[in-house]
Amino acid sequence: MTSVSPTAESAVSDRPEHWHQINWEHVNRTVRGIQIRIAKATQEEDWRRVKALQRFLTRSFCGRALAVRRVTENQGRRTPGVDGVLWSTPEAKWRAVGQLKCRGYRALPLRRVRIPKANGKERLLGIPTMRDRAMQALFLLALQPVSETRADPNSYGFRPERSTADAIMQCYMLLRKKGSPQWILEADIKGCFDHIDHQWLVDNVQMDKRVLRKWLKAGVVDMGRVWETVEGTPQGGIISPTLANMALDGLEALLAEHFGAKGSKKLRKHKVGLVRYADDFIITGTSKELLETEVKPLVEKFLAVRGLTLSAEKTHVTHIDRGFDFLGWNVRKYGGKLLIKPSEKNTKAFLTKCRSIIKSYNGARQAHLIWKLNPIIRGWVNYHKHQVASDAFTRVDAQLWQALWRWARRRHAKKGKRWIAKRYWRHIGNRVWTFADDTVDVTGTEKRVKLIYATDTRIKRHIKIKADANPFDPDWELYFEELRQTRMQDSLQYRRRVNSLYMQQSGRCVVCNQPISHETGWHEHHLIRRVDGGSDNLANLVLLHPTCHNQVHHQHLSVVKPVSLEAS
């Protein structure tokens, strides 16, 4: 394992005086310890102790520092709220840590942002100020152990270490067998985030009621006016997904109460099962009548208490032989065999996006077009590579080739086909038609950039997370460690240098000893700087979190590799 040198460790003070002096290993260890105690108290339903521990965490320096770090590292760090304030400097971040106090706190109105949806409607986002975001992140640290401990086992949206891939794998496990349920209730909640009842949240969410009420009643600035918020929790707030999940948790237990728990004879008769990702969910059953006359009214009653209703246009009962779309996949049985493929709608949206980019880059260099397309293709392929996607990948490659051929023909209308093919396509490996270009990077080195082809990605079954796994329970610590590393290595298989460093460091940052993930991000740190003659070889590189990397350079810390790693 890589380590920080003793001089570096002593340089980080136990009593920091500025942002770059914070000991992040101590901060993470302290917050983690309190979260574990909150989860244990929740399991024991000792709500008085839960409240005391939450109060302690939200008033601690470690909790406040971690909250500021989260909102200044995520994707929205450059998006201001109504006050126009951003925390982009170490001095601003350090001041922000001292400002996160409940006494005198008042939430400012949200800034309304409208995002166009595929169906022509708009998704309304509410952007809080940086201070409100940090306060939400702080209280989320104290609330998440409670929400994870009491969450529905088969809820997969906006939860640590859970994803759409886990949700679709649960669908596969529910429906794959010959004796599996044949009917599915596809359900969608109408404006879930916008219509959750405020009073229900205040009465049932285990956190500081005064602070929660301030967020819910903060109002929204839209079209130059401040509008009152009487219901819902805004999309765009850090804590909003967890509040929405807590509002919907309990549905699985309600279904088990009426139609049988796991392993019961009653469940084997009705075969009622739930898979939920945020506000999208499916419920299985043995008959259409069961789902329409018994299950659906029960769900509607459950939602009505929370101020929610089912969307009439998106909620219907479907037979498995006809299939249904869920989270971008189509789930259907063909001759009794369950196949999960990329949905036509999802594939069409992906191709439309790629074609619009190709068309807009009509006058750009070929290398720039490749750099623009590759992340989009890689993201779509990685999303679907765990299911039956080979045919879809082949069709996508063919459609992209045609779009690129039209792009090349438009640029050289007077040239022949052979000239165009030789100009833009290369024979690389076993592939004759590889869209590639030879360019020069910033160091003056010639390199070849080539387009990613979907069919180059191997189909590999996703390993689903165990339904009862709790990231705040010490008994699951080793399980999550192994799961996190397996998934990261899988996602980094085409980034060999980063993957090698990740495995060498056991998936942890050198400075703070916390896991490295796509959410945290990483920087490659040179042990010997390149200006001092250091190379880009693995022996001279380690992976650090962005904040830890800035800390190393600002504090002039030295990072060394143990002899065991240098030898390897």
Side-chain angles (χ1 to χ4, degrees), residues 232-303:
T233 176
Q235 295 189 60
I238 287 178
I239 205 170
S240 295
T242 301
L243 294 179
N245 267 336
M246 295 186 76
L248 298 176
D249 284 333
L251 180 57
E252 192 168 354
L254 181 66
L255 293 173
E257 180 184 338
H258 282 78
F259 303 103
K262 185 178 180 181
S264 68
K265 191 174 182 180
K266 196 174 181 181
L267 179 62
R268 288 195 294 270
K269 176 184 176 183
H270 297 296
K271 299 178 181 177
V272 173
L274 170 74
V275 181
R276 179 168 67 84
Y277 187 89
D279 58 339
D280 292 329
F281 60 92
I282 64 154
I283 301 176
T284 62
T286 52
S287 68
K288 186 176 183 179
E289 292 73 21
L290 173 71
L291 293 174
E292 287 184 338
T293 61
E294 296 185 50
V295 174
K296 188 177 177 182
L298 191 66
V299 172
E300 289 174 334
K301 186 178 179 181
F302 172 87
L303 295 176

Side-chain angles (χ1 to χ4, degrees), residues 80-183:
V82 292
D83 59 357
V85 173
L86 291 176
W87 297 338
S88 54
T89 64
E91 293 75 21
K93 296 173 186 178
W94 180 251
R95 288 195 301 270
V97 174
Q99 294 172 1
L100 297 187
K101 298 178 180 179
C102 293
R103 180 175 293 181
Y105 170 67
R106 181 186 175 191
L108 293 177
L110 308 167
R111 181 167 68 88
R112 176 73 81 203
V113 175
R114 301 173 186 274
I115 307 295
K117 296 171 69 173
N119 58 6
K121 298 181 180 179
E122 292 181 326
R123 186 184 304 278
L124 303 179
L125 298 184
I127 309 299
T129 64
M130 290 296 290
R131 187 187 180 197
D132 290 337
R133 266 179 265 174
M135 286 292 286
Q136 290 187 18
L138 175 59
F139 278 84
L140 181 59
L141 290 173
L143 180 61
Q144 208 163 38
V146 179
S147 67
E148 284 298 305
T149 304
R150 295 174 63 83
D152 285 346
N154 290 303
S155 163
Y156 298 96
F158 305 113
R159 295 181 59 191
E161 309 300 335
R162 298 185 182 228
S163 65
T164 53
D166 294 303
I168 203 67
M169 278 303 298
Q170 180 61 21
C171 291
Y172 175 79
M173 294 173 68
L174 276 177
L175 301 167
R176 75 185 189 277
K177 296 180 180 178
K178 187 176 181 180
S180 296
Q182 301 294 304
W183 291 92

Side-chain angles (χ1 to χ4, degrees), residues 216-456:
L216 297 175
K217 302 297 184 183
V220 177
V221 175
D222 190 19
M223 308 295 288
R225 288 183 56 188
V226 179
W227 301 86
E228 196 177 337
T229 48
V230 295
E231 60 180 2
T233 176
Q235 295 189 60
I238 287 178
I239 205 170
S240 295
T242 301
L243 294 179
N245 267 336
M246 295 186 76
L248 298 176
D249 284 333
L251 180 57
E252 192 168 354
L254 181 66
L255 293 173
E257 180 184 338
H258 282 78
F259 303 103
K262 185 178 180 181
S264 68
K265 191 174 182 180
K266 196 174 181 181
L267 179 62
R268 288 195 294 270
K269 176 184 176 183
H270 297 296
K271 299 178 181 177
V272 173
L274 170 74
V275 181
R276 179 168 67 84
Y277 187 89
D279 58 339
D280 292 329
F281 60 92
I282 64 154
I283 301 176
T284 62
T286 52
S287 68
K288 186 176 183 179
E289 292 73 21
L290 173 71
L291 293 174
E292 287 184 338
T293 61
E294 296 185 50
V295 174
K296 188 177 177 182
L298 191 66
V299 172
E300 289 174 334
K301 186 178 179 181
F302 172 87
L303 295 176
V305 177
R306 293 151 175 79
L308 302 172
T309 57
L310 290 175
S311 171
E313 60 182 26
K314 296 182 180 179
T315 302
H316 36 263
V317 179
T318 310
H319 195 275
I320 190 61
D321 289 342
R322 185 179 177 185
F324 62 95
D325 288 351
F326 186 55
L327 303 175
W329 287 285
N330 179 261
V331 185
R332 183 179 174 184
K333 275 191 175 180
Y334 298 83
K337 184 176 182 180
L338 183 71
L339 297 181
I340 301 176
K341 306 177 181 180
S343 69
E344 290 294 332
K345 183 179 178 181
N346 182 274
T347 305
K348 184 178 179 181
F350 163 71
L351 287 172
T352 300
K353 183 176 183 180
C354 289
R355 289 186 185 115
S356 65
I357 290 172
I358 293 170
K359 191 172 182 179
S360 65
Y361 272 63
N362 194 38
R365 287 185 54 193
Q366 183 184 7
H368 293 165
L369 177 59
I370 294 172
W371 286 328
K372 182 68 175 180
L373 286 174
N374 274 350
I376 298 169
I377 298 172
R378 186 184 291 112
W380 186 83
V381 169
N382 286 340
Y383 186 82
H384 291 291
K385 70 179 181 180
H386 304 297
Q387 304 303 329
V388 185
S390 296
D391 290 344
F393 287 176
T394 302
R395 291 197 307 272
V396 160
D397 280 350
Q399 293 289 324
L400 288 178
W401 184 92
Q402 291 177 3
L404 290 169
W405 180 256
R406 289 193 296 270
W407 174 85
R409 291 290 300 273
R410 282 196 302 268
R411 289 163 67 94
H412 306 284
K414 296 182 180 180
K415 295 291 185 179
K417 295 180 180 180
R418 290 180 181 272
W419 186 93
I420 293 173
K422 187 177 180 180
R423 168 68 178 79
Y424 292 105
W425 278 268
R426 305 282 189 275
H427 187 167
I428 301 176
N430 295 327
R431 190 182 291 277
V432 178
W433 289 85
T434 301
F435 192 71
D437 188 24
D438 296 320
T439 186
V440 179
D441 62 16
V442 291
T443 62
T445 306
E446 287 191 8
K447 60 183 296 186
R448 174 168 287 178
V449 293
K450 61 179 183 177
L451 188 74
I452 293 173
Y453 285 88
T455 47
D456 289 339

